Amino acid sequence: MPMRFDMNVLDETELIAYALRELYMQAGYRRYRMSKFEEYDLYSRNKSFLGTDEIVTFTDTNGKLMALKPDVTLSIIRNTPDGEGAARLCYNENVYRAAKGGPFKEIMQTGVECIGGVDASCVSEVVALAARSLSILGPRWALAVSDVDLLGAFARRAGLEDESDLVFALAAQKNLHEIRALCRRKAVAADREEALIGLLSLSCPVLKAPERIGSLCVMCGVKEDIRVLKAVMDRLEAEDLSQNVQLDFSCAGDMRYYNGIIFKGYIEGVSQSVLSGGQYDSLMRRMGKKGGAAGFAVYLDRLERLEKAGGDRC
Amino acid sequence: MLNIALPKGRLGEKVYAMFARAGFDCPGILEDSRKLVFENPEKQVRYFWVKPSDSAIYVERGAADIGVAGKDILLEYRPDVYELSDLETGKCRMAVAAPKGWRDDGIRTLRVATKFAFIAREYYASQGRDIDVIHLNGSIEIAPILGLSDVIVDIVETGTTLRENDLEVISTITEISARLICNKASFRFKQQEIMRVAEGLKRTKEG
């Protein structure tokens, strides 16, 4: 006998989690279930990827140091064998972390990972799926998209390669006045400073973005390949999602793990980003895996206080 | 409506004057009262007076869309906000000060009294110097006089308090001034209004 129940028993977060799972599975993503406990070693080597030192650990009956689910992405990378093509996986898991020296928290996370033979089309598919996820979370949403390789190339052309961590940190704050001060201290040529500032101030419709970036590249003498960024913009345009997408080079991630396209999602009424993702080929290499990877996580815990917002769930 | 957190006190009044000159005035805000929230529906702005060290928290948590905070607070607490401009007011510096004639022997762990533990740790880590941070909430200058610390790390504006207590600046860590900060999510949904204020303040500063 089929099981029936009243949908009203589900709270808002549960409804969103199921709507997202449906979206990902319809897009061809297979569910990934993570073990509750995994070897601590995997996480201790990649603590800065997690953004926290605080992981719940214990010694199991065989004397091995184990961790209680601090992250899903690392687990997926380790447990997905190298193979032909791209593996498409989605998940919905509780993870356990402490941030900024605070207490441990249980965080409900849902998301997707595309791993292995990842090309421009896979990256575009993941970004478009991120945009569709945001449209489920709330009626007013925004997705900020950046290309950290391109920003890195502009910083190198400006002669700031030794200061790239600082440039990325200032870029993440939209702190253009201190980037200008840094350029003056390092005697950066005026046209390259203007190109770097121009890239970081960029605010234009998605359709115009490749053209504007192209002219800034010429100005700065950057020959970086922007085919992936262009493919992402084209896909968003084709799926009629581009009106809520902003090209914004203040989106940044840890360069030891991330590369290429990085993005963050926001919905009106929540003061932090509710979605974060990008390409992490560098993390794949660090973990001895072949190919590339792209994915994102939705932070369902940040939606707790959101009123029933009526996103596109049906 | 744009929600704006301003630091209470002399700096806040100076900064509000900049907002008013930029065209975002709010009648009644400078009247002597205990009221903390002021609104001008015509200009679509709502100001809150908050404790200067809390301004960044209001913005980071989204209670305010934008606000003004000292660079000292931004460096110490590292809130996840945008820093849209340097308002070039409330200028001072974060410095290390010690009793006149004091010299660091470089051997013993340096005892540092400060309100700014993170800034002090970062600064001395960059110098490869071990320190013992003594966290105080006020009257920092008294710590080396009473032998509680060797040096202090604190904000120095004119240097009068240091001089009157026989202390002197031995190094400057960084220059400090008031910054216009912005909540990252608000920037996505109120970008035009926020940039209108930021541009107005820029014109006021240049004028």
Side-chain angles (χ1 to χ4, degrees):
Chain A
M1 190 177 136
M3 189 184 290
R4 293 181 197 283
F5 69 97
D6 184 350
M7 292 282 277
N8 289 320
V9 300
L10 298 177
D11 65 32
E12 187 69 358
T13 314
E14 288 167 323
L15 275 172
I16 289 172
Y18 290 126
L20 291 175
R21 185 191 295 174
E22 186 183 25
L23 172 74
Y24 305 149
M25 292 181 79
Q26 278 177 355
Y29 285 70
R30 189 165 48 84
R31 273 191 80 191
Y32 177 84
R33 285 303 298 268
M34 185 181 174
S35 305
K36 276 214 165 38
F37 314 120
E38 296 206 4
E39 285 178 32
Y40 171 71
D41 192 41
L42 167 68
Y43 301 103
S44 65
R45 277 183 275 119
N46 296 290
K47 275 182 177 174
S48 44
F49 176 76
L50 302 179
T52 176
D53 281 345
E54 306 296 333
I55 298 170
V56 183
T57 57
F58 67 98
T59 308
D60 78 356
T61 48
N62 297 318
K64 256 189 196 157
L65 190 59
M66 306 294 281
L68 172 63
K69 293 202 288 193
D71 184 66
V72 189
T73 303
L74 292 170
S75 167
I76 288 182
I77 294 177
R78 188 175 68 172
N79 295 321
T80 306
D82 286 327
E84 294 295 309
R88 289 172 165 78
L89 301 162
C90 63
Y91 60 86
N92 181 216
E93 298 276 355
N94 285 328
V95 295
Y96 302 86
R97 293 185 199 173
K100 274 194 177 178
F104 280 103
K105 280 172 80 177
E106 183 180 58
I107 302 165
M108 197 202 279
Q109 229 177 54
T110 192
V112 304
E113 309 290 354
C114 191
I115 286 184
V118 171
D119 57 12
S121 151
C122 296
V123 177
S124 314
E125 173 189 303
V126 166
V127 180
L129 215 44
R132 292 213 176 280
S133 304
L134 290 168
S135 72
I136 285 173
L137 304 186
R140 278 200 79 198
W141 56 273
L143 182 70
V145 180
S146 166
D147 182 337
V148 284
D149 287 348
L150 192 62
L151 178 56
F154 272 66
R156 277 195 303 280
R157 285 294 293 172
L160 297 173
E161 57 267 57
D162 293 342
E163 323 286 335
S164 62
D165 285 350
L166 180 57
V167 171
F168 275 89
L170 294 173
Q173 299 166 1
K174 291 191 177 290
N175 191 338
L176 302 186
H177 48 282
E178 287 187 18
I179 289 182
R180 281 201 185 278
L182 176 67
C183 288
R184 279 195 295 278
R185 278 202 307 278
K186 297 288 170 186
V188 172
D191 56 344
R192 292 184 186 175
E193 177 183 332
E194 287 314 315
L196 179 60
I197 295 292
L199 190 74
L200 290 169
S201 327
L202 207 63
S203 173
C204 64
V206 159
L207 206 56
K208 295 257 179 209
E211 186 191 323
R212 293 280 297 278
I213 290 171
S215 57
L216 288 168
C217 285
V218 171
M219 185 174 170
C220 197
V222 165
K223 293 190 176 70
E224 198 72 11
D225 186 355
I226 60 164
R227 267 179 301 184
V228 179
L229 183 62
K230 190 164 177 343
V232 168
M233 298 296 148
D234 288 346
R235 175 90 180 228
L236 291 167
E237 190 66 30
E239 292 198 22
D240 201 19
L241 294 163
S242 61
Q243 64 278 10
N244 291 40
V245 179
Q246 300 162 341
L247 198 66
D248 185 334
F249 286 84
S250 71
C251 261
D254 189 325
M255 293 294 282
R256 281 170 295 181
Y257 305 101
Y258 289 102
N259 59 285
I261 304 297
I262 302 267
F263 49 89
K264 281 191 194 295
Y266 300 85
I267 55 168
E268 192 173 42
V270 180
S271 64
Q272 296 169 285
S273 60
V274 294
L275 179 152
S276 169
Q279 286 179 263
Y280 46 93
D281 304 350
S282 316
L283 178 61
M284 292 282 280
R285 278 196 295 279
R286 277 175 75 107
M287 292 180 68
K289 293 285 181 174
K290 291 180 185 153
F296 62 83
V298 181
Y299 309 116
L300 294 176
D301 59 308
R302 294 183 183 175
L303 305 172
E304 253 177 14
R305 291 185 173 272
L306 194 67
E307 302 287 318
K308 288 215 174 202
D312 186 15
R313 285 200 251 309
C314 306
Chain B
M1 182 72 74
L2 208 53
N3 295 309
I4 305 170
L6 293 181
K8 267 190 280 192
R10 203 154 43 97
L11 174 65
E13 285 167 17
K14 255 173 150 175
V15 166
Y16 167 72
M18 291 175 74
F19 278 83
R21 283 201 303 280
F24 301 95
D25 56 309
C26 188
I29 195 168
L30 294 176
E31 280 169 19
D32 189 19
S33 79
R34 288 175 179 247
K35 208 173 151 187
L36 297 172
V37 182
F38 297 86
E39 193 175 309
N40 184 346
E42 187 201 330
K43 301 285 170 74
Q44 286 290 293
V45 286
R46 184 187 294 128
Y47 291 97
F48 319 134
W49 289 123
V50 300
K51 192 174 170 183
S53 56
D54 291 343
S55 172
I57 298 171
Y58 281 86
V59 174
E60 183 182 34
R61 296 283 185 142
D65 300 305
I66 58 172
V68 173
K71 186 68 183 178
D72 51 328
I73 299 298
L74 301 179
L75 289 172
E76 180 64 22
Y77 299 106
R78 295 158 293 137
D80 188 18
V81 294
Y82 291 135
E83 186 184 318
L84 297 181
S85 70
D86 180 353
L87 298 176
E88 293 175 20
T89 187
K91 284 185 180 180
C92 51
R93 56 186 166 143
M94 184 66 67
V96 182
K100 278 182 186 156
W102 178 86
R103 291 288 170 268
D104 183 4
D105 62 13
I107 296 167
R108 288 177 295 183
T109 301
L110 191 69
R111 296 171 307 158
V112 182
T114 187
K115 263 194 281 193
F116 301 96
F118 182 81
I119 295 175
R121 283 199 188 96
E122 288 273 293
Y123 173 70
Y124 281 106
S126 73
Q127 316 265 311
R129 185 78 173 93
D130 284 336
I131 64 166
D132 176 15
V133 172
I134 300 157
H135 197 282
L136 297 177
N137 293 308
S139 303
I140 314 290
E141 295 83 1
I142 207 170
I145 298 169
L146 298 180
L148 179 63
S149 74
D150 300 309
V151 298
I152 64 170
V153 166
D154 205 9
I155 288 171
V156 178
E157 203 171 338
T158 59
T160 309
T161 314
L162 292 182
R163 275 193 299 279
E164 287 180 0
N165 288 288
D166 285 328
L167 301 174
E168 62 184 0
V169 170
I170 55 172
S171 60
T172 295
I173 299 176
T174 186
E175 302 296 328
I176 303 289
S177 56
R179 309 295 165 105
L180 178 68
I181 57 173
C182 172
N183 175 270
K184 290 189 169 183
S186 296
F187 188 83
R188 302 287 147 207
F189 301 106
K190 298 183 176 178
Q191 193 169 345
Q192 280 183 347
E193 297 96 306
I194 289 167
M195 290 317 289
R196 221 176 12 246
V197 173
E199 290 298 323
L201 290 172
K202 191 175 169 206
R203 279 194 304 276
T204 306
K205 207 170 67 179
E206 287 163 357

